[in-house]
Amino acid sequence: MPPVSYARALAEIYSLDKFGSRPGLERISQILALLGNPQNSYKCCCVAGSNGKGSTVEMLGCILSENGWKTGAYFSPQIEEFPERIRINGKNADTKDLAAAYAKVKAVCAKNGIEATFFEVVTAMALLIFSWRKAAFAVLEVGLGGRQDATNAVEPEVSAIVSISLEHTGVLGDTVEKIAHEKCGIARKGKPLVVGQVNSKVRAAIEAECKAIGAKPIFISDEVAISNLKKKGRNYSFKASFNRSKYAISLAAPGFFQVSNASVALSAASLLGAKKGAIENGLRSA
């Protein structure tokens, strides 16, 4: 298949949006297999949640980059322009890479009769680009739910659920238990699942799901001790301890809710092996 310009690639990608969302891992798994399973060349972390996913992905990506690891971050949706969805060490993907990745994904879909959705195509593009750029880690923002989301085609080393509330009830279910079931689909047997601030009902649902999966839930309300919380303007600083390490955190991201997001990112980064300085500097710059 001949090269595709970035402008043409973008127009064709956006045209896929009219077909809507079709949950399920069959198509994305087939596409990735045909591409050589690029996601297996680096370690992954999936981040789900009703709110706060994007901030947490950005924080975790900054921390891992600060630790000296080339890190891909995948976001949905973009704020201003398409390349924001796929970033490496804090920089948007190159338009040449985006066009080339789209051409690859388009070719395998056309050759094998796969009618992929917008999100499936873009997810495959991200995972391919991270492989091309020899990323050590990829942090992926889950699009919708978790269990049937295209990002769940990877095998995460650590998963995270930032928050859970009633949302997308027509797809995910009309109770927090049903929504927890869908979001906990990103957890893996024997692997940690970091959980942000949740109420007791949601916690019980997550604990039941993790028990069935064999995952290891880590609730920040239990595991992250916060003290000396201070506010300057709209930004917060605080002391935190996790897993016998102590941190002095100053957040660049404004808003009190970012304290919880930062605690999730801190915990996940620590579990992935990031050092104290990288965690502090990453959260200061995110």
Side-chain angles (χ1 to χ4, degrees), residues 218-270:
I218 296 173
F219 294 92
I220 64 168
S221 56
D222 294 343
E223 303 295 336
V224 180
I226 292 177
S227 61
N228 202 31
L229 182 66
K230 296 180 180 179
K231 182 181 180 184
K232 185 176 181 180
R234 296 178 59 210
N235 299 82
Y236 287 82
S237 63
F238 55 94
K239 305 289 186 184
S241 62
F242 173 74
N243 204 18
R244 297 188 294 279
S245 294
K246 298 184 183 298
Y247 305 88
I249 304 299
S250 296
L251 298 179
F256 177 69
F257 61 92
Q258 299 290 11
V259 174
S260 176
N261 295 339
S263 298
V264 173
L266 181 157
S267 303
S270 175

Side-chain angles (χ1 to χ4, degrees), residues 56-270:
T56 305
V57 169
E58 175 69 9
M59 290 176 179
L60 182 52
C62 284
I63 292 170
L64 299 180
S65 296
E66 282 282 345
N67 205 66
W69 295 320
K70 184 176 282 190
T71 302
Y74 178 48
F75 299 89
S76 176
Q78 75 255 23
I79 296 173
E80 294 181 345
E81 57 181 357
F82 183 83
E84 295 171 7
R85 290 174 177 263
I86 303 169
R87 305 179 73 194
I88 299 170
N89 281 358
K91 295 183 178 180
N92 293 351
D94 185 86
T95 55
K96 291 182 180 179
D97 276 353
L98 291 168
Y102 172 69
K104 283 276 190 183
V105 175
K106 177 183 178 180
V108 299
C109 287
K111 184 177 180 179
N112 295 276
I114 302 169
E115 295 184 356
T117 66
F118 171 94
F119 193 69
E120 289 165 347
V121 167
V122 181
T123 300
M125 288 169 56
L127 298 175
L128 189 57
I129 290 172
F130 296 154
S131 176
W132 286 349
R133 294 299 157 217
K134 301 189 184 307
F137 283 89
V139 187
L140 311 175
E141 179 180 353
V142 173
L144 176 63
R147 185 174 305 277
Q148 299 297 319
D149 189 79
T151 56
N152 201 32
V154 308
E155 285 300 316
E157 292 293 314
V158 174
S159 301
I161 297 175
V162 183
S163 62
I164 288 183
S165 60
L166 287 173
E167 40 103 13
H168 298 292
T169 53
V171 178
L172 303 180
D174 56 2
T175 67
V176 292
E177 290 85 359
K178 290 177 181 178
I179 292 174
H181 174 72
E182 292 304 317
K183 294 193 185 299
C184 284
I186 66 170
R188 295 294 188 270
K189 182 177 181 179
K191 303 288 186 179
L193 174 70
V194 180
V195 183
Q197 295 289 350
V198 294
N199 63 37
S200 57
K201 188 175 184 180
V202 171
R203 176 177 177 135
I206 291 174
E207 287 176 332
E209 292 292 334
C210 285
K211 184 176 181 180
I213 295 167
K216 302 175 181 178
I218 296 173
F219 294 92
I220 64 168
S221 56
D222 294 343
E223 303 295 336
V224 180
I226 292 177
S227 61
N228 202 31
L229 182 66
K230 296 180 180 179
K231 182 181 180 184
K232 185 176 181 180
R234 296 178 59 210
N235 299 82
Y236 287 82
S237 63
F238 55 94
K239 305 289 186 184
S241 62
F242 173 74
N243 204 18
R244 297 188 294 279
S245 294
K246 298 184 183 298
Y247 305 88
I249 304 299
S250 296
L251 298 179
F256 177 69
F257 61 92
Q258 299 290 11
V259 174
S260 176
N261 295 339
S263 298
V264 173
L266 181 157
S267 303
S270 175

